Amino acid sequence: MATLQHALLFLASISPVISVPAENAPSKYIISLKSDATTDIESHLSWVTDVHRRSLSRRDTAGVERTFSIGSNFNAYTGEFDSETIAQIKENLNVAFVEVDVEQLVTTALVTQTDAPWGIASLSTPSLPNGNILGQKYVYDESAGGGTWAYVLDTGIFVNNTEFEGRAIKGYNAWPEDTFDDKYGHGSHVAGTIGSKTYGVAKKTTIVDVKVVRGTDGYSTIAKVLEGLDWIVKNITNTPGRAEKSVVSVSLAYAKSDVLNAGFEAAYAAGVLSVVGAANDNEDASTKSPASEPSVITVGAVDWQKTRAEWSNFGPLVDIFAPGVEIVSLWNKDDFPTTLSGTSMSTPHVSGLVLYLRGKESLLTPDDARDRLLALAQKGVVVNEGVGSPNFLAYHGAGA
Ligand SMILES: *[C@@H]1O[C@H](CO)[C@@H](O)[C@H](O)[C@H]1NC(C)=O
Ligand SMILES: *[C@@H]1O[C@H](CO)[C@@H](O)[C@H](O)[C@H]1NC(C)=O
């Protein structure tokens, strides 16, 4: 019986999440006593000190460093011990847990923004008190998508906007005959929702401008989108560690195109995740590309009361809904907050959300990121989601 307990205790004391290379054997530990320990902490510590002193391999280890007690029956201590001493501590019947104590990245500090647009606010709380388009409360982890990359396929971005704080950079212009600026405003609005200081979901991400739409009229071709996507996939896959920290955000919709879909499928196969608008025709998303490509995350739009926008596409190819009605964000000049509606606006909410999650957690593959996004989503709350749509609403819940 005693042997069995020892065996269980030993298993419980090895943390499965921390793996330390053998040649680098850990020496810092945190140890807790059982709540029904048959000795007091002082007697236990004097026993530990004794064992440590007698250990032949104790050379460079300090022994007990500090003790803790919380409430009436939680006692613990930290210390630096050699393997011989720690083996004896693990055998001690009064010891509950022995864990290696290493520095870990823990990001739990929350930041609250009180002048937020309703869309980003709704990602952090289960329901909003009113439909004010600004002045809402957005709560987010302070990591805020730091270390992540948003590749925005659009009309260009006014990267000089102070709202981007220098985090928006020029990537590639598929229309060299047109200057590499946002003459329209659409791309700047999208990028603003992903990562600007006031309107953005992931306020520390880096935004890469990939201009595939020309001029002031929103004109482009499938070839130009594929050219931009090709540049993005090369840029990502030629940079070690970039894919798992990136998203391609695509607020563009073309008539169904097998070629365009195949291009996005190839990006996915290379480990590159794309988030795509379902488009605004109040019909099944199978009629549009790249919305109809199964490997991308396809996004429909809701209003602040979680009702699908009357124009949002729907159906089984949609993965998730997000805010897309009366969204305030940036335009192609400074100090010009602009309110727009569309799946162009719901898409960057999800792009920003995926970057927020990828900044905070290890979500290595496109499927890892999608699974996490869908696991966190609010389920069954979207009103009139449309025939065949999954009833999922984008959410991280940091302010719940
Ligand atoms: C952005 O700033 C750069 C550097 O100051 C400048 O060369 C460029 O013309 C600016 N672009 C726009 C669109 O204002
Ligand atoms: C990716 O694009 C950025 C921005 O244009 C550039 O600075 C960087 O060198 C590119 N990286 C690779 C590996 O091509």
Side-chain angles (χ1 to χ4, degrees), residues 288-344:
K288 287 290 190 292
S289 284
S292 56
E293 166 51 37
S295 66
V296 303
I297 293 176
T298 299
V299 186
V302 296
D303 64 18
W304 78 275
Q305 288 173 303
K306 305 182 171 119
T307 301
R308 178 176 62 92
E310 59 196 12
W311 36 257
S312 173
N313 285 355
F314 53 84
L317 289 162
V318 170
D319 292 279
I320 195 164
F321 288 88
V325 179
E326 294 191 281
I327 303 302
V328 185
S329 185
L330 308 177
W331 203 239
N332 58 358
K333 49 189 153 192
D334 267 319
D335 301 324
F336 201 75
T338 300
T339 306
L340 293 178
S341 299
T343 52
S344 284

Side-chain angles (χ1 to χ4, degrees), residues 158-160 181:
F158 175 47
V159 297
N160 290 10
D181 296 314

Side-chain angles (χ1 to χ4, degrees), residues 149 151 169-172 180 208-209 231-232 234-240 242:
W149 299 75
Y151 289 81
I169 61 172
K170 292 288 176 191
Y172 183 78
F180 198 174
V208 185
D209 179 2
W231 182 88
I232 290 171
K234 288 195 172 75
N235 193 259
I236 291 177
T237 56
N238 288 333
T239 311
R242 179 68 60 87

Side-chain angles (χ1 to χ4, degrees), residues 42-196:
E42 288 77 20
S43 317
H44 177 79
L45 290 178
S46 88
W47 172 80
V48 171
T49 304
D50 223 41
V51 172
H52 181 243
R53 193 179 301 129
R54 278 187 275 116
S55 165
L56 296 175
S57 58
R58 70 170 192 281
R59 291 196 302 280
D60 301 318
T61 54
V64 174
E65 287 174 341
R66 77 156 286 188
T67 61
F68 308 86
S69 69
I70 303 172
S72 53
N73 56 13
F74 176 88
N75 285 295
Y77 56 101
T78 57
E80 196 182 8
F81 303 105
D82 59 275
S83 54
E84 202 181 309
T85 304
I86 210 70
Q88 290 207 47
I89 291 174
K90 282 174 178 166
E91 293 288 308
N92 188 294
L93 287 175
N94 289 310
V95 167
F97 300 108
V98 178
E99 292 178 359
V100 176
D101 192 25
V102 292
E103 281 186 43
Q104 302 176 56
L105 183 63
V106 286
T107 49
T108 51
L110 296 178
V111 178
T112 300
Q113 176 191 358
T114 53
D115 62 345
W118 79 264
I120 65 172
S122 79
L123 300 178
S124 69
T125 41
S127 59
L128 298 175
N130 60 54
N132 295 343
I133 61 172
L134 280 172
Q136 301 279 359
K137 190 166 88 173
Y138 177 46
V139 182
Y140 57 97
D141 184 274
E142 66 178 0
S143 55
T148 67
W149 299 75
Y151 289 81
V152 180
L153 276 172
D154 213 290
T155 61
I157 298 170
F158 175 47
V159 297
N160 290 10
N161 196 315
T162 53
E163 269 280 330
F164 289 123
E165 307 172 305
R167 290 177 289 104
I169 61 172
K170 292 288 176 191
Y172 183 78
N173 180 13
W175 293 95
E177 61 272 47
D178 201 21
T179 57
F180 198 174
D181 296 314
D182 180 10
K183 294 186 172 157
Y184 189 120
H186 186 273
S188 299
H189 199 281
V190 165
T193 299
I194 294 173
S196 69

